[in-house]
Amino acid sequence: MSTSPFEELRADDKGTGGIPVEPHEVLGVAQPIMRRQAEEREQALGGVLRERNHLAAWLAALHPSVLSAAPDIGDGWYRLFLRAGGWQFTWSIRPPDLSLFDHVRRVPAGDARARFDGHTIDQKYLRIRSHTAVLCLSDDAAI
């Protein structure tokens, strides 16, 4: 059974007659592990965002939408502004996913269609649930 790098350091410590492990030795082992874990989490998050952005791109094809550069989020990031059910919805779009939105018009930050109405994330989700409920009601009436 393999041991972790920390267990190896402890084992080395025991074999050296009680010489303590130095902090820089622990950091030397911990930093690559933490870097790898951060990269794995970043990659997983990227996959989740890509899936979400596929759905946002689909919604943008169905509703009036524009994209505007969002340097406040990060270099190369955009913000999607979508209108549905009389409400505004926004999503941040990372650079690798921008090609999913080739069908959406790009507008300058000052464009009226790209003016943020101040909704919170909770309000956005409430708007989504409310609009979904309205759409479901209209389906029930057709049956």
Side-chain angles (χ1 to χ4, degrees), residues 14 48 55 57 118:
K14 291 175 187 170
V48 170
L55 292 171

Side-chain angles (χ1 to χ4, degrees), residues 1-81:
M1 181 153 118
S2 97
T3 58
S4 77
F6 292 114
E7 290 168 342
E8 289 174 14
L9 282 176
R10 281 192 219 108
D12 287 347
D13 181 37
K14 291 175 187 170
T16 58
I19 299 171
V21 176
E22 295 296 322
H24 71 275
E25 293 175 304
V26 173
L27 285 176
V29 172
Q31 285 175 334
I33 293 169
M34 292 172 59
R35 192 174 300 113
R36 188 189 77 237
Q37 289 176 340
E39 289 168 1
E40 289 170 357
R41 284 176 175 74
E42 183 70 28
Q43 194 171 29
L45 177 61
V48 170
L49 288 175
R50 180 125 180 119
E51 184 168 346
R52 189 243 8 219
N53 287 338
H54 272 282
L55 292 171
W58 181 32
L59 288 171
L62 299 172
H63 299 283
S65 303
V66 295
L67 277 172
S68 183
D72 59 308
I73 301 170
D75 199 26
W77 282 70
Y78 276 73
R79 189 168 283 114
L80 173 67
F81 292 85

Side-chain angles (χ1 to χ4, degrees), residues 94-107:
R94 60 194 196 113
D97 296 339
L98 201 53
S99 64
L100 298 172
F101 298 87
D102 285 346
H103 61 286
V104 179
R105 176 176 289 169
R106 270 90 168 147
V107 298

Side-chain angles (χ1 to χ4, degrees), residues 81-137:
F81 292 85
L82 183 144
R83 293 206 67 81
W87 291 305
Q88 180 187 76
F89 301 90
T90 59
W91 287 276
S92 302
I93 309 301
R94 60 194 196 113
D97 296 339
L98 201 53
S99 64
L100 298 172
F101 298 87
D102 285 346
H103 61 286
V104 179
R105 176 176 289 169
R106 270 90 168 147
V107 298
D111 190 287
R113 295 166 289 180
R115 246 184 239 131
F116 183 59
D117 71 359
H119 65 270
T120 65
I121 291 173
D122 289 339
Q123 288 170 326
K124 175 172 61 177
Y125 294 143
L126 177 60
R127 291 173 180 183
I128 289 171
R129 288 191 306 274
S130 299
H131 190 56
T132 301
V134 169
L135 293 172
C136 288
L137 287 174

